[in-house]
Structures are given as structure tokens and as C-alpha cells.
Amino acid sequence: MRGHKMICSSKRLHSARLIRLAIGAVVAAALSTGAWAQNLAIGATATASTQSGSSYTPAKANDGDVNTRWQASNSSSGTWLQITFASAKTVSSVTLREYASRITGHQLQYLNGSTWTTLATGTSVGAAKTYSFGAVSTTAVRLYVTSASSQPSITEFEVYGGGSSSSSSSSSTSSSTSSSSSSSSSSSVPSACAPGSTITGTVDCGGATVGTACNGQSESQQPVFTLADGATIRNVRINANAADGIHCLGNCTLQNVVWEDVCEDAATMLGGAGKTMTVAGGSAANAGDKVFQHNGIGSTIAISDFQTLGTIGKLYRSCGDCNGNGGPRYVTVNNVRIEKSGDLIGVNKNYGDKATVRNLQVKGYVSGGPKICMTFQGVTDHNGESTKLGEEWNTATCDISRTDVTAY
């Protein structure tokens, strides 16, 4: 959508006693409140697509020892590490601990019946990455690696439960089963995540896949979700019937949202001055035009730990010809991975827009291909097309150095 989106021994003994008392109080409090969570992965069975010799077996990833680790034999896409339970468990969060930060793209999946369903999508894992989601009942969870700089290696794969389950899994199947990307039936989608909903507060869709329809680049299409000021939506997949994606009316957060195939735009920021649309984790594939559209004057879109797949026209565009157009608009991009794109970011220099980019990876990137921060002369009220001015580096409009962009 374009136009209208806008420290003597006694002292030591005393100190030691105080420390013991403090620790005891913490433990008691944790136990009394149920906050001392049990790692369900301990005692479960760990398997993997490959392993790098007998020193790096999958069992090293759920032994409770961060000094041991599983390591794959290669860095191929599709590498996986799986935790399988003897019986169904209710799972609501996972913590992954990685050795050497080699993973650059991944999915967290759970076995839903006989199908692998994605709970979350991310780029790097690092020392510790925790995903929290709506509780699910399952017999297995896995880390599915989509890209890596070298052999993926996990020191601990921790799984925690709690809450009421929102879906069930009856049996384990072959780990080579691919991730499901089909649309969930309406009965399996939490009611707050029904297509067309206006989201208020925080809603966790638990990995549900939804969609409505897609009419190409038609700007009359309605959003799949509208996020009210202060709203957060988590762990949802939007299928190819993505219409006009997500509309953000104020401060909002999109966490681990996956667009399987962008229709018009993945998300549009409509909130005004001082408001921020935060995109944390997730991915978008095949955007014919742009992924994120920015209309709200004086607002910010903050994109981090995100990746695009397939070909996209742009990652971001500040509205070039909105009704009552102006600025400034701000965008921050950090730890984002792009497979293939045209000019990546488009900002209006004459309206004072600013793009800040750090830790960007572009497949096969060479200087000038693609252009990273492209400036435009914006217009208002659809009075002609906004004019492309050129790519900029280290300017007030484009806060980005060449060292901020690397190829993979």
C-alpha cells in the first residue's frame, strides 16, 4: 500500500552465610512460584541429520554441559538437530546455545501430528537464543538450519514447558520430513489470529499459518492483520494469500513473523511521530515490489534479525508520493540477510529521511550490486513520480559504511 499509509575470617564467615541465605531465598521463591523450570530435553533423545565424528554426537547437545557440543559434518542447508520425547510434552519455550556463531539462518520447528510446523524463524543463534511461544503438545522439536557459514555446532538445546497446549502431536515420524507451509485450517488457528483481526495487547499465534487472498499489487487490498497502538503479534506465518500484509497503527512489534510469499507489501507503518514498528526475527519471500512500506511521518521502522528469501524488489521504501507527503521517516536495519534484491532501501532525501544500517549480509554482494541506500526526491499527493537521486554512503540520509555490508 502506498498513497494513504502513512570486600579477618569472621567477616568472611558472615559474608558466606549471607550468600547462602540469599541463594536459599532465591531457590525457595523459584520453587514456590514454579519459576524453576525443568529442561525437558535432559533425558530425551537427540538425533541429527549429520555429525562430525564421534566427539560431536547429537547427545552432546542435551547433556546439560555447555562444554560439550554437537557439530554437523557440513554447512548445507537442511541440516537439523532434533530432540524427541518418550511421550508428548507441553512445550512453550526453547533456548539454543551455539558454538562459534556459525548459523546464519534457521527455523525452530515442532512435530504437529506427522508434519513439521515452524514456530519461529531467525538468522544468527549466538551464545543464547530463546524463543517463547504459545504452548504446544508435541513429541519432538528441532532446529532446522537454512544457512550457515561453517558446520553448525550446538552446545545445548534446552526445551521448557508450561501453559496449556494449543495443538497436539500423536507420534514421531521421519526427521527428513520437510517443514509444512500449507495453510492451517480455521479450527487450528487461535481465534485472536483469525485473518482480518485487529490485534490489541500481545497475541501469540503459536506458529499458525493464515492468509486471505492476493490480488497482485492492487492497493485496495485489506491487511491480514491490523496492529493497534501498543500491539505485538508473534509466531505467525502468512501464506501466499497475504493481501496487504500487516498494518501498524502506532507502536507495534512483529516478532518471528514469516511471510511465505509477499503479495503487495509484507507490512506497512502508518503510525505517526514518535511511533516505532519493530520487526524482530522472521523472514519474507518473493516480494515483487517491497517488503516494508513506510507512510507514517516522524515514525520509525526498526528491522533486526530478519532475512529475505527469493527475490524482492526492495526491503524498505519511505513513501514517495503519499497524500500530504513529508518527513522525516526513519529506518534502522541490523543483522539482516538478503538473498536477492533490487535497490535495497529507498529514502526521500528532500523530506529528511534517515536510514541506519549495520551488519547487513547480501548474497554475492559486490559494490553497486545491489545498491544499498538509494535516495529519492519525494513528491506529494501523487504529483508525478518520485525521482531517483542516487546511492549514498556515510551521509545524513544514509548512515551506512561499506564495511557494514558483506557478501555471503
Side-chain angles (χ1 to χ4, degrees):
M1 179 176 182
R2 306 189 307 177
H4 56 281
K5 297 180 183 177
M6 292 270 207
I7 221 223
C8 139
S9 63
S10 63
K11 288 185 178 180
R12 287 196 299 270
L13 288 171
H14 180 65
S15 298
R17 181 173 180 272
L18 289 176
I19 291 170
R20 289 195 299 272
L21 287 172
I23 293 173
V26 170
V27 171
L31 291 174
S32 68
T33 61
W36 202 279
Q38 176 187 6
N39 179 3
L40 302 174
I42 301 296
T45 301
T47 54
S49 54
T50 66
Q51 68 183 54
S52 183
S54 60
S55 296
Y56 302 106
T57 63
K60 300 293 180 67
N62 68 328
D63 60 359
D65 185 354
V66 295
N67 295 309
T68 63
R69 57 189 171 94
W70 160 77
Q71 180 170 290
S73 63
N74 56 66
S75 58
S76 300
S77 174
T79 296
W80 51 264
L81 173 64
Q82 177 176 326
I83 303 296
T84 303
F85 310 112
S87 60
K89 302 293 183 184
T90 297
V91 176
S92 59
S93 73
V94 166
T95 296
L96 301 169
R97 305 185 186 278
E98 186 186 10
Y99 173 83
S101 297
R102 298 168 177 173
I103 295 171
T104 54
H106 68 283
Q107 296 176 357
L108 178 65
Q109 304 175 340
Y110 79 101
L111 195 59
N112 183 9
S114 60
T115 301
W116 286 106
T117 297
T118 299
L119 288 165
T121 299
T123 52
S124 61
V125 174
K129 169 82 82 173
T130 297
Y131 287 113
S132 298
F133 42 85
V136 297
S137 178
T138 186
T139 56
V141 291
R142 74 176 180 179
L143 166 67
Y144 186 86
V145 179
T146 56
S147 59
S149 61
S150 185
Q151 300 151 282
S153 189
I154 298 294
T155 60
E156 283 299 303
F157 190 141
E158 302 170 11
V159 183
Y160 300 96
S164 300
S165 64
S166 59
S167 60
S168 63
S169 176
S170 58
S171 62
S172 177
T173 61
S174 172
S175 298
S176 61
T177 305
S178 62
S179 170
S180 171
S181 60
S182 61
S183 177
S184 298
S185 65
S186 59
S187 63
S188 66
V189 179
S191 59
C193 299
S197 296
T198 294
I199 307 296
T200 60
T202 297
V203 171
D204 193 319
C205 297
T209 302
V210 301
T212 53
C214 178
N215 186 19
Q217 291 299 305
S218 171
E219 294 182 15
S220 64
Q221 298 179 86
Q222 296 301 301
V224 178
F225 297 110
T226 298
L227 271 57
D229 190 13
T232 293
I233 188 168
R234 295 175 177 163
N235 304 317
V236 64
R237 300 178 69 91
I238 300 177
N239 62 27
N241 293 316
D244 202 29
I246 295 176
H247 287 186
C248 177
L249 305 184
N251 288 318
C252 70
T253 298
L254 288 63
Q255 182 177 4
N256 299 324
V257 176
V258 173
W259 290 267
E260 295 179 350
D261 199 317
V262 176
C263 181
E264 187 188 350
D265 303 324
T268 299
M269 176 54 167
L270 297 169
K275 302 297 185 178
T276 299
M277 181 173 88
T278 301
V279 180
S283 65
N286 309 320
D289 187 5
K290 70 193 86 67
V291 178
F292 300 112
Q293 167 74 28
H294 198 169
N295 289 354
I297 294 174
S299 62
T300 300
I301 295 182
I303 309 163
S304 64
D305 302 320
F306 190 79
Q307 65 178 330
T308 66
L309 306 170
T311 301
I312 62 170
K314 285 182 178 64
L315 175 67
Y316 165 94
R317 179 68 169 101
S318 176
C319 189
D321 62 352
C322 284
N323 291 329
N325 207 8
R329 299 182 180 95
Y330 307 97
V331 61
T332 64
V333 175
N334 184 39
N335 195 28
V336 169
R337 185 180 178 94
I338 306 295
E339 184 169 349
K340 186 175 182 180
S341 177
D343 298 342
L344 195 64
I345 295 167
V347 286
N348 301 315
K349 189 168 186 174
N350 59 317
Y351 293 145
D353 294 352
K354 182 178 181 179
T356 302
V357 180
R358 301 291 184 270
N359 306 311
L360 174 67
Q361 289 187 311
V362 180
K363 187 174 183 178
Y365 176 74
V366 293
S367 181
K371 298 187 185 303
I372 304 300
C373 187
M374 178 61 69
T375 60
F376 289 81
Q377 181 79 16
V379 298
T380 188
D381 302 320
H382 308 293
N383 291 323
E385 292 291 328
S386 57
T387 305
K388 186 181 292 190
L389 302 177
E391 184 181 31
E392 294 188 8
W393 299 86
N394 298 305
T395 67
T397 304
C398 297
D399 180 4
I400 174 175
S401 299
R402 295 184 186 276
T403 55
D404 290 317
V405 185
T406 58
Y408 76 94

